[in-house]
Amino acid sequence: MGRQREFDVEQALDAALCVFWRKGYEGTSYTDLTQATGVERPGLYSAFGNKEALFRQALERYYSHYLDYFPTALEQPTSREVVEQIFRGAAELHTRHPDRPGCLGIHGALAGSDDAEPIRQALIDARARGEAMLRDRLERAKEEGDLPDSANSAALAAYVMAVLHGMAVQAKAGCSRDVLEAVVDQALSTWPSNPSGRETQKTGAIKPLPLLY
Amino acid sequence: MGRQREFDVEQALDAALCVFWRKGYEGTSYTDLTQATGVERPGLYSAFGNKEALFRQALERYYSHYLDYFPTALEQPTSREVVEQIFRGAAELHTRHPDRPGCLGIHGALAGSDDAEPIRQALIDARARGEAMLRDRLERAKEEGDLPDSANSAALAAYVMAVLHGMAVQAKAGCSRDVLEAVVDQALSTWPSNPSGRETQKTGAIKPLPLLY
DNA sequence: GAAATTTAGTATCGACCGGTATGGAAAAGA
DNA sequence: TCTTTTCCATACCGGTCGATACTAAATTTC
């Protein structure tokens, strides 16, 4: 009962997400949000709660609608393919939208005033969850013989995340996709190969790449 | 002539630098700055100019007083040592001060309001200068036979910078130095080796590292 | 010692921040 | 049709933002 909403909530959330993506949490004002969404301030509050709640919902949408390639990549048969798909997906996503390059999960709230501490922690936690998923996947690769027993899953996962974060920073600085892909090539060039020697897929991309091209 | 300053300008600049390091450009208010420096607002304005000018001077000091290991590392005899020293120096710096982890050059202004665009660009330019210095050094390494002719100096430099940026993000998220060092180990494991086979230093660290430890 | 100059500190500026009260318009149930 | 409920939009709240007049104190020059 009562009057019905005149704006589409999902559409408004996506518009808000794009602003956060570009300006970060604290850099985004309600003036920005109302302009981007076409919804007046009280409308945003009634639909999403306060700014922090709105950002959290935007972040959730970001993971489900933009970072969806990540869980998909984890299903690849070999750790090499998992990591490569994650890297390639990031290079593509971070340069897909020229108006909002980089990654909301990184520069949504990296440094800022003390007020933004909860959001900063939320982003840290979200990234940590992704790293944990990757670590578990690499651990499984060890059990399957896809990675040598000597491999350190936690360190490898941290390394992959570091490269991803660095790519986000570079994308935000205006780097082209080509440069990001070159970074990926180098990052992948020494991925530990299958110790048992048995190939698990047709491309056989296990052998080390030649030195950058 | 006239009254003399009661505070030490360098000391105040360093205090301001530390606040910017922790909270970023826009996250830092003049209330923060006056508390950290012990200097009232008009004092900061008369000594440094406005907030943007103060940040730029803080950034300059950051490069000369904290990132000084970078130009030093470029003087190492081999590219491998150059890059390793840069990596190790970053891992150390980013965790040296627990109250301000990470790198001012990265999260001083990554995303934010449009007002901060000049500062954002200044940080991008500063990082680009560092990347250019590294690229030139790697180019020299190719001329010296330290790197193979097939090596892509620009791509290698971009890769190194990406790892550095990623380490800064992780340090800001609370990563320990040990984790950063593990990331460095993995990042170094892909470094191209000397094609001519002649060693240029005693350690002979050219051969690829074993898989993570 | 008096004038000139530069500092320090208080108090304040207009603009914008995140967040709301309010009142009228629109749509549902009776 | 009338009541109730919900939404939209203007206008506004106290607080904080970066930036400055202004006054008084301190130091140099004349």
Side-chain angles (χ1 to χ4, degrees):
Chain A
M1 50 186 161
R3 183 174 172 175
Q4 65 193 8
R5 270 215 179 84
E6 293 185 0
F7 65 92
D8 184 277
V9 177
E10 284 231 354
Q11 194 173 326
L13 181 57
D14 198 68
L17 157 60
C18 293
V19 185
F20 283 132
W21 196 342
R22 188 153 51 88
K23 301 191 168 192
Y25 175 65
E26 287 193 309
T28 300
S29 70
Y30 265 98
T31 303
D32 299 323
L33 292 171
T34 55
Q35 284 180 356
T37 60
V39 178
E40 292 301 327
R41 221 169 293 208
L44 293 176
Y45 274 91
S46 75
F48 304 107
N50 66 5
K51 189 184 176 185
E52 181 175 328
L54 172 55
F55 183 88
R56 297 188 116 100
Q57 291 167 72
L59 183 64
E60 216 169 305
R61 184 182 173 84
Y62 181 73
Y63 270 81
S64 60
H65 282 64
Y66 293 93
L67 289 187
D68 53 329
Y69 67 84
F70 191 92
T72 303
L74 294 179
E75 298 171 2
Q76 290 295 307
T78 68
S79 70
R80 178 61 146 78
E81 291 168 287
V82 166
V83 172
E84 171 150 21
Q85 198 156 314
I86 289 172
F87 278 154
R88 304 287 177 199
E92 192 274 332
L93 174 61
H94 295 171
T95 55
R96 185 192 303 167
H97 307 102
D99 59 317
R100 44 195 151 99
C103 174
L104 172 65
I106 304 296
H107 47 254
L110 192 51
S113 79
D114 295 336
D115 296 341
E117 182 56 33
I119 293 297
R120 216 149 40 231
Q121 198 57 51
L123 290 181
I124 292 173
D125 292 344
R127 295 198 299 260
R129 277 195 295 274
E131 183 169 338
M133 289 168 65
L134 177 59
R135 179 175 16 88
D136 293 346
R137 177 63 184 82
L138 298 180
E139 200 62 34
R140 202 190 88 195
K142 283 172 65 176
E143 294 169 5
E144 294 172 350
D146 174 35
L147 277 178
D149 290 338
S150 61
N152 184 331
S153 302
L156 281 173
Y159 168 72
V160 170
M161 297 302 286
V163 173
L164 288 175
H165 301 162
M167 288 169 58
V169 173
Q170 286 179 310
K172 183 74 182 170
C175 261
S176 71
R177 179 170 175 184
D178 287 345
V179 171
L180 294 187
E181 296 282 354
V183 169
V184 169
D185 291 336
Q186 180 64 21
L188 280 173
S189 72
T190 61
W191 192 259
S193 57
N194 185 336
S196 63
R198 56 183 155 84
E199 298 291 341
T200 40
Q201 63 141 2
K202 56 183 182 316
T203 68
I206 294 299
K207 68 176 191 304
L209 288 175
L211 291 176
L212 278 187
Y213 315 145
Chain B
M1 49 185 156
R3 180 174 174 177
Q4 64 193 10
R5 273 221 173 80
E6 293 185 0
F7 65 93
D8 184 279
V9 177
E10 284 230 356
Q11 194 173 327
L13 181 57
D14 199 68
L17 156 60
C18 293
V19 186
F20 282 132
W21 195 342
R22 188 153 51 90
K23 300 190 168 192
Y25 175 65
E26 287 194 310
T28 300
S29 70
Y30 266 97
T31 304
D32 299 324
L33 291 170
T34 55
Q35 284 181 357
T37 61
V39 179
E40 291 301 327
R41 221 167 295 206
L44 294 175
Y45 274 92
S46 75
F48 305 106
N50 65 8
K51 188 184 175 184
E52 181 176 328
L54 172 55
F55 183 87
R56 296 187 116 101
Q57 291 167 72
L59 183 63
E60 217 169 305
R61 183 181 174 86
Y62 181 72
Y63 269 81
S64 61
H65 282 63
Y66 293 93
L67 289 187
D68 53 330
Y69 68 84
F70 192 93
T72 303
L74 294 179
E75 298 170 4
Q76 291 297 305
T78 67
S79 69
R80 178 60 146 77
E81 290 168 286
V82 167
V83 172
E84 171 150 19
Q85 198 156 314
I86 289 173
F87 278 154
R88 304 285 177 202
E92 193 274 332
L93 174 62
H94 294 170
T95 55
R96 186 192 303 166
H97 308 102
D99 59 318
R100 44 196 151 100
C103 174
L104 172 64
I106 305 296
H107 48 254
L110 191 52
S113 80
D114 295 336
D115 296 341
E117 182 55 34
I119 292 298
R120 215 148 42 229
Q121 197 59 50
L123 290 180
I124 291 174
D125 293 344
R127 295 198 299 261
R129 278 194 295 274
E131 183 170 337
M133 289 168 65
L134 177 59
R135 179 176 13 87
D136 293 346
R137 177 64 183 81
L138 298 181
E139 201 62 34
R140 202 189 88 194
K142 283 173 65 177
E143 294 168 6
E144 294 172 351
D146 174 37
L147 277 178
D149 290 337
S150 61
N152 184 332
S153 302
L156 281 174
Y159 168 73
V160 171
M161 296 303 285
V163 174
L164 288 175
H165 301 162
M167 286 167 60
V169 172
Q170 286 178 311
K172 183 73 180 169
C175 261
S176 72
R177 179 169 175 183
D178 287 345
V179 170
L180 294 186
E181 296 282 355
V183 168
V184 169
D185 291 336
Q186 179 64 22
L188 281 174
S189 74
T190 77
W191 195 256
S193 59
N194 183 337
S196 65
R198 55 183 157 86
E199 297 292 341
T200 41
Q201 64 142 3
K202 55 184 185 312
T203 68
I206 294 298
K207 68 174 191 303
L209 288 175
L211 294 175
L212 277 185
Y213 315 141

